[in-house]
């Protein structure tokens, strides 16, 4: 993003909006980001957001489940958010009407749209990070 600032700046603005100005809870946001990290095998995204996930209350079991490409939540909003992320990460469209209505009723239209944008943004970051082989910082 630093190498192409005319794209990097607007992309960073989208990132700031998606991180700080949405209706998504911090847990839902991190569940979505970690689902992208697992799907894209993005080591840096996993590394960075597992730390954030812990800070917002994700348990070690939940973090391991997300890293393994599965997540079960007792909270219906978190479960719906993860299901939507699965569909987005696997490009499983069109979604059957009944499933779409279920996701929409649990999440609400605003969060549904926010999650689509969040997943798209973090998939873009993961692609950049993976392309340029940005890995996990070396332990000191």
């Amino acid at each position: 993003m630093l190498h192409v600032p005319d794209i990097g700046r607007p992309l960073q603005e989208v990132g700031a909006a998606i991180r700080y100005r949405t209706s998504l809870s911090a847990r839902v946001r991190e569940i979505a980001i970690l689902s992208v990290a697992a799907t894209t095998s993005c080591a840096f995204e996993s590394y960075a957001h597992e730390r954030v996930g812990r800070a917002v209350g994700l348990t070690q079991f939940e973090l391991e489940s997300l890293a393994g490409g599965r997540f079960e939540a007792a909270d219906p909003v978190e479960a719906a958010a993860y299901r939507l992320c699965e569909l987005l990460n696997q490009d499983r469209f069109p979604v059957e009407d009944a499933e779409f209505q279920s996701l929409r009723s649990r999440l609400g239209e605003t969060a549904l749209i926010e999650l689509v944008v969040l997943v798209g943004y973090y998939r873009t970051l993961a692609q950049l990070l993976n392309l340029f082989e940005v890995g996990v910082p070396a332990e000191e």
Side-chain angles (χ1 to χ4, degrees), residues 82-102:
Y82 183 73
R83 177 63 183 147
L84 177 60
C85 292
E86 280 184 309
L87 294 168
L88 294 167
N89 282 319
Q90 298 168 6
D91 292 324
R92 293 182 51 200
F93 295 99
V95 177
E96 292 191 20
D97 288 345
E99 184 162 32
F100 178 76
Q101 291 306 324
S102 174

Side-chain angles (χ1 to χ4, degrees), residues 20-43:
Y20 306 118
R21 297 189 299 269
T22 68
S23 66
L24 303 174
S25 73
R27 278 182 55 94
V28 165
R29 184 185 65 240
E30 294 307 315
I31 289 166
I33 295 167
L34 288 166
S35 79
V36 171
T39 301
T40 59
S41 300
C42 185

Side-chain angles (χ1 to χ4, degrees), residues 37 40-48 130 134-136:
T40 59
S41 300
C42 185
F44 185 82
E45 251 176 28
S46 294
Y47 165 80
N130 286 341
V134 178
V136 176

Side-chain angles (χ1 to χ4, degrees), residues 49-119:
H49 285 278
E50 283 176 3
R51 294 169 190 268
V52 178
R54 276 189 200 89
V56 301
L58 291 173
T59 66
Q60 187 61 35
F61 178 77
E62 289 172 321
L63 292 169
E64 289 170 6
S65 295
L66 286 162
R70 62 193 184 287
F71 182 76
E72 292 186 26
D75 179 273
V77 171
E78 289 180 2
Y82 183 73
R83 177 63 183 147
L84 177 60
C85 292
E86 280 184 309
L87 294 168
L88 294 167
N89 282 319
Q90 298 168 6
D91 292 324
R92 293 182 51 200
F93 295 99
V95 177
E96 292 191 20
D97 288 345
E99 184 162 32
F100 178 76
Q101 291 306 324
S102 174
L103 292 169
R104 184 186 222 169
S105 70
R106 292 213 189 270
L107 295 168
E109 188 137 323
T110 298
L112 193 84
I113 293 167
E114 291 169 343
L115 279 166
V116 170
V117 174
L118 183 146
V119 168

Side-chain angles (χ1 to χ4, degrees), residues 1-21 45 117-129 132:
M1 290 167 43
L2 293 172
H3 295 286
V4 186
D6 286 343
I7 292 174
R9 274 190 299 277
L11 188 57
Q12 179 55 37
E13 290 172 20
V14 170
I18 217 59
R19 283 189 308 275
Y20 306 118
R21 297 189 299 269
E45 251 176 28
V117 174
L118 183 146
V119 168
Y121 172 76
Y122 277 93
R123 284 182 66 86
T124 298
L125 288 184
Q127 289 171 331
L128 288 167
L129 291 164
F132 291 101

